[in-house]
Amino acid sequence: MRICASSSPGEVRIAVTDRDSLLDFALWRPDMADGVGDIYRARVSAHVPALGGTFITLPGLEHAGFLPDSEGLGPLTQGQTVLVSVTRSAQGGKGVRLGARNLPPDLPGGSEPSLLRCGPTPLERLARSYPDAPIVLDDAAIAAALPANLHPRLTRSGAAFDSDIRARVDALEDPVVALPGGMSASITPTPALVAIDMDGGAASMDRRPKQTAQFAANRDALPDLLRQLRLRNLSGAIIVDVAGLAIRKRRALTETVETVLKEDPLRPRFLGFTALGLAEIVRPRVHPPLHELLHSPEGRVLSALRGQMQVYRGMPPTGQPVTLACGHAIMRLMQAHPGWVADFVRLTGRVLHPVTDPALPANGWRFGHD
């Protein structure tokens, strides 16, 4: 088992692998942390009884966080300072969720609102989950951002991802998942829930009775599908429509579903099958789902920078700068994240020049040479 951390400008893709299996995955954007685990001394903005909680102004963040009344701090008054931690990142158009329980006793004193302690990075979280796994890096600069206790586990490689790992990680961007037995599943996130539709494959060639074949095909494919919930960090309400099986037969898949979900550290709950035969699963929302990270404006630019990096990485430097012509919205992103340019230079040996191009749409870009 290994934890492989592959660096690109502004981003580290982290894959936990065991032989040819992808066990876990996370994206780490060092200058865009999701904030989970951060601890603040913060100021009360407004208590909203109708919502059952209080909005808390977090220093340095654009939007207030929400602290449920169930956290037990009692009546709060506007302007009061409280100690809170981020328990759920901003995602799906909603702000951060806060907690006030089990805070460490050794926090710095004071009265002014401030960030007291940062939460663990995605690499630290995975290192804790897999304490015996070596950590393979392809960028020495990442080691400087890790706590000293992880340094003995670090090894350096020219490329942390081999072709097989890269293919498995890239497949997480595809809404269609290939499953055992020639089956597949289509994953469709919506604002309300994640809908997953399984399609039959080789079961149609099975000579056993139709329902027997369909049950076996779904039973064998479901473990791979349900592990995608963890790999893609799908959360909230999730419904799964299994392939071809009569509604009355679907409840026999309950044991398979529950067994696989027990492997997930977030402990998703299986609520059973609806009258329509849809499997209902609830997985806690903590970190942003992978599709939200990938399809954001930042995610699209970082993907483009990674692709351009792969063109040049390993080639001898020529001294010829690379131009990134940007629409005005992309230029604002590049200016807000100067570390992306510095990463590109360090990882490729080539200077990257972002320039505004009025001919491009706001979120458009293209690469060229000076």
Side-chain angles (χ1 to χ4, degrees):
M1 184 183 299
R2 298 180 302 163
I3 300 173
C4 303
S6 177
S7 295
S8 58
E11 187 173 80
V12 183
R13 299 193 295 172
I14 310 165
V16 182
T17 65
D18 186 10
R19 297 184 177 88
D20 58 349
S21 298
L22 183 61
L23 304 182
D24 223 329
F25 179 74
L27 280 182
W28 177 18
R29 294 173 179 171
D31 64 349
M32 298 173 62
D34 63 24
V36 174
D38 289 356
I39 301 175
Y40 288 88
R41 180 181 298 108
R43 201 173 299 281
V44 173
S45 175
H47 180 239
V48 187
L51 297 179
T54 301
F55 286 104
I56 307 290
T57 300
L58 301 176
L61 295 188
E62 183 179 351
H63 301 290
F66 184 75
L67 177 69
D69 289 341
S70 59
E71 288 299 301
L73 285 189
L76 298 174
T77 59
Q78 186 174 1
Q80 177 183 351
T81 57
V82 292
L83 295 176
V84 293
S85 63
V86 177
T87 58
R88 188 184 74 187
S89 68
Q91 53 187 281
K94 298 180 180 179
V96 300
R97 180 68 62 90
L98 304 173
R101 301 179 188 274
N102 302 317
L103 297 178
D106 58 342
L107 295 172
S111 58
E112 290 301 310
S114 62
L115 172 62
L116 302 179
R117 186 172 298 175
C118 290
T121 67
L123 186 50
E124 290 174 68
R125 291 198 307 268
L126 289 176
R128 292 176 186 176
S129 298
Y130 302 91
D132 298 322
I135 302 170
V136 182
L137 307 175
D138 54 17
D139 179 10
I142 296 301
L146 297 176
N149 66 302
L150 291 183
H151 290 182
R153 296 170 58 182
L154 304 180
T155 59
R156 179 77 185 276
S157 172
F161 284 7
D162 60 23
S163 58
D164 180 66
I165 297 175
R166 189 177 302 111
R168 290 177 182 273
V169 167
D170 289 345
L172 298 178
E173 302 183 28
D174 193 335
V176 178
V177 182
L179 299 172
M183 296 186 71
S184 65
S186 299
I187 300 175
T188 306
T190 76
L193 52 81
V194 177
I196 303 177
D197 179 39
M198 297 178 68
D199 291 314
S204 61
M205 304 297 292
D206 198 308
R207 295 185 178 183
R208 290 177 292 180
K210 178 180 178 182
Q211 289 300 299
T212 301
Q214 291 286 3
F215 175 82
N218 282 286
R219 180 199 59 207
D220 295 344
L222 271 170
D224 277 32
L225 173 61
L226 294 176
R227 291 185 186 104
Q228 292 288 319
L229 306 187
R230 180 175 178 176
L231 293 172
R232 298 171 186 242
N233 197 26
L234 300 171
S235 53
I238 302 167
I239 59 171
V240 182
D241 186 12
V242 301
L245 194 62
I247 292 176
R248 68 182 184 279
K249 299 282 189 181
R250 297 185 179 198
R251 290 182 177 84
L253 294 168
T254 295
E255 183 179 356
T256 298
V257 175
E258 291 179 337
T259 299
V260 178
L261 293 183
K262 286 178 182 177
E263 301 172 3
D264 190 325
L266 290 186
R267 294 293 184 263
R269 290 182 296 134
F270 176 54
L271 305 182
F273 288 90
T274 70
L276 293 175
L278 304 175
E280 287 187 303
I281 298 168
V282 177
R283 188 170 187 268
R285 298 181 188 271
V286 180
H287 301 282
L290 183 60
H291 63 266
E292 193 171 296
L293 293 173
L294 294 175
H295 297 154
S296 66
E298 296 86 351
R300 295 181 187 278
V301 173
L302 291 174
S303 177
L305 289 172
R306 181 173 67 249
Q308 196 69 13
M309 178 203 76
Q310 290 169 349
V311 171
Y312 294 113
R313 200 170 188 180
M315 297 172 58
T318 63
Q320 186 178 23
V322 178
T323 300
L324 174 60
C326 307
H328 65 84
I330 300 302
M331 192 62 185
R332 284 199 301 269
L333 267 182
M334 298 302 298
Q335 291 170 340
H337 300 281
W340 298 357
V341 172
D343 289 347
F344 189 91
V345 175
R346 185 183 72 255
L347 294 170
T348 68
R350 286 170 167 77
V351 174
L352 179 66
H353 281 168
V355 296
T356 302
D357 186 341
L360 288 171
N363 288 304
W365 68 79
R366 67 168 178 267
F367 289 96
H369 297 282
D370 287 351

